[in-house]
Amino acid sequence: MADDVPIHDVVIVGAGPAGLVAAVACLRAGLSVRVIANDPTAAWPATYGCWVDEIETLGLAGCLSRRWDDVRAVGEREHRLASAYGVFDNPALQSALLEPLEGLTLVGHVVSISLDDDGFLVDTADRQQLSAAIVIDARGPAVVHSIPFGSGPRQRAYGITARFDRPPISPGACVLMDWSAPTSGGASPDAGESATFLYGFDLGDGVAFVEETSLARNPAMELDELRDRLLARLDRMDCRVVESIATELVDIPMRAGVPEPGPALAFGSGGGQLHPATGYSVAASLRAASRLASAIADGRAEGLVGERLASVAWDALWPRRARRTRALHDYGLASMLRLTPAETGRFFDAFFDAPHDLWRSYLDISAGPRQVAGLMRRVFAGSDRDTRRSLIGGDHRLLFRSISG
């Protein structure tokens, strides 16, 4: 490593929510930090949802743009969910995270991350160099895992924010998922087709956000197909767009399993904090950041650098309990994707018929394996014979991992 390159405790590559929250947590843990990204202040275009109580415990409720206490889910029946839901005010969250990092963010495109006995060296396209005891890669799954566009399982969605002649979402409500058929006239998709669901919320004054979503599939559903399904759903609901305000295209690579420990530590949506079933990662990353920072600070206090420090940090993110939970989540998703459209609606009726604490635990990536397994047993017991037959057809190696970790 070059002698004239100053050594930092932590260099973070990527300035999305995960990268910035990791940087703030490390800074608060007393570590020297640098963040490098193409544009650290670039706007975040995605809609990030969360359960309000998750964010309140972190003191970030002020970074929500909206919250809904009337939250619903629809399988073959409608369910009222006893949890408030919110979406982040992206500029407010970004500003809150960037403020303590003033002067610590650098503009640059990383071209290489190398490792030697002294730690890491990060090289950028414009010949900047940063050295660090540990590098956290928070650039997302497509970059971290070199996933070509369009390959592998992906969750996709097509959404619009618009003013409608009549509300597609009940006033003041949020629809977490509606698995009813999107086709006109109430016709159900053929058994061989993939089920998709409506996600949306009322924004007041005749404005709503509505999105047609496909869970992780390989090959992924085309965005044009999702657009057509959304328009068919709105037509079935007799809702017409009066004014189109914004369009949102979602394409999330869904990498199965716990990321293997490597020299640069993956964090955020590319580091396993992305929930295999929901595609959510922001709240999970916010909650995991302090645990990650504490482990790095403890490792630095012992003089650790490079792979040894990365291993300590990886163990903090992925203890055996978390690895077991991830295996159950992966098994659950693989099994659920075997369901026919008709079985999917019945599955989610059984899911949301379960006690609140059980289904909430399943949607929490940090839940314990016993909680997740408890929900799975409850849903299986509450499902009909055909749905049960589909559910037990998943990858049973994942069940073994859920025990062995």
Side-chain angles (χ1 to χ4, degrees):
M1 187 174 291
D3 294 336
D4 58 346
V5 179
I7 299 177
H8 307 288
D9 291 316
V10 185
V11 167
I12 297 171
V13 185
L20 293 186
V21 74
V24 171
C26 288
L27 190 66
R28 289 174 177 168
L31 299 164
S32 62
V33 179
R34 291 294 184 274
V35 178
I36 185 164
N38 291 339
D39 184 356
T41 61
W44 303 334
T47 299
Y48 300 126
C50 63
W51 299 107
V52 173
D53 57 4
E54 294 178 329
I55 302 307
E56 286 178 335
T57 59
L58 296 171
L60 292 173
C63 292
L64 295 178
S65 63
R66 300 264 182 170
R67 65 169 284 166
W68 294 268
D69 295 308
D70 182 0
V71 184
R72 309 178 186 187
V74 181
E76 292 188 342
R77 296 178 279 109
E78 184 176 85
H79 306 258
R80 298 293 182 95
L81 309 183
S83 284
Y85 186 81
V87 294
F88 283 103
D89 179 335
N90 288 359
L93 179 61
Q94 185 181 39
S95 177
L97 295 175
L98 280 172
E99 183 177 2
L101 299 174
E102 185 176 359
L104 303 179
T105 60
L106 302 174
V107 176
H109 175 71
V110 172
V111 295
S112 69
I113 301 172
S114 56
L115 174 67
D116 62 22
D117 292 340
D118 298 320
F120 292 90
L121 189 65
V122 179
D123 290 287
T124 71
D126 57 357
R127 298 185 179 181
Q128 294 184 84
Q129 285 190 329
L130 290 87
S131 62
I134 188 172
V135 172
I136 297 173
D137 196 336
R139 290 177 291 180
V143 178
V144 172
H145 305 295
S146 302
I147 301 173
F149 179 79
S151 69
R154 305 179 87 88
Q155 177 173 301
R156 284 182 173 168
Y158 181 94
I160 58 172
T161 301
R163 180 168 281 106
F164 294 86
D165 62 351
R166 55 177 308 206
I169 307 292
S170 297
C174 167
V175 175
L176 186 68
M177 51 178 63
D178 180 349
W179 289 95
S180 58
T183 49
S184 298
S188 296
D190 293 336
E193 290 188 10
S194 299
T196 57
F197 66 89
L198 176 73
Y199 163 68
F201 33 80
D202 173 59
L203 294 170
D205 193 28
V207 178
F209 172 78
V210 287
E211 186 173 83
E212 196 74 22
T213 303
S214 167
L215 293 179
R217 296 194 176 277
N218 187 17
M221 185 171 288
E222 296 295 333
L223 289 170
D224 286 349
E225 169 68 12
L226 288 164
R227 178 200 60 207
D228 292 345
R229 289 192 181 206
L230 177 61
L231 295 177
R233 186 185 294 276
L234 292 171
D235 184 60
R236 176 173 65 88
M237 299 164 71
D238 197 24
C239 297
R240 305 287 182 271
V241 173
V242 174
E243 177 189 0
S244 180
I245 299 171
T247 300
E248 178 165 303
L249 307 178
V250 178
D251 182 35
I252 307 172
M254 304 291 283
R255 184 178 184 272
V258 174
E260 293 296 326
L265 183 72
F267 183 69
S269 61
Q273 279 66 54
L274 186 147
H275 196 292
T278 66
Y280 291 5
S281 66
V282 173
S285 299
L286 291 171
R287 298 201 310 272
S290 60
R291 186 168 76 251
L292 171 65
S294 294
I296 294 173
D298 290 345
R300 289 298 290 143
E302 297 176 10
L304 301 182
V305 298
E307 287 186 300
R308 292 181 64 197
L309 182 57
S311 178
V312 167
W314 187 89
D315 286 341
L317 289 176
W318 293 106
R320 183 171 180 266
R321 174 180 181 271
R323 298 196 302 271
R324 292 175 61 199
T325 293
R326 180 54 187 248
L328 284 171
H329 278 145
D330 285 336
Y331 178 84
L333 177 62
S335 297
M336 192 181 71
L337 293 179
R338 293 170 54 89
L339 300 174
T340 67
E343 290 168 351
T344 300
R346 297 195 293 268
F347 169 88
F348 277 99
D349 283 335
F351 186 95
F352 289 111
D353 280 342
H356 172 269
D357 289 348
L358 269 184
W359 67 255
R360 271 295 305 271
S361 69
Y362 191 88
L363 299 180
D364 182 356
I365 202 166
S366 63
R370 289 187 178 181
Q371 295 170 293
V372 174
L375 181 279
M376 296 172 76
R377 288 192 297 268
R378 178 71 178 241
V379 171
F380 186 82
S383 297
D384 61 274
R385 183 180 60 184
D386 290 340
T387 302
R388 289 182 183 180
R389 186 181 297 116
S390 296
L391 289 174
I392 62 175
D395 186 349
H396 292 89
R397 292 172 298 180
L398 293 171
L399 290 181
F400 175 76
R401 286 186 205 165
S402 72
I403 300 171
S404 67

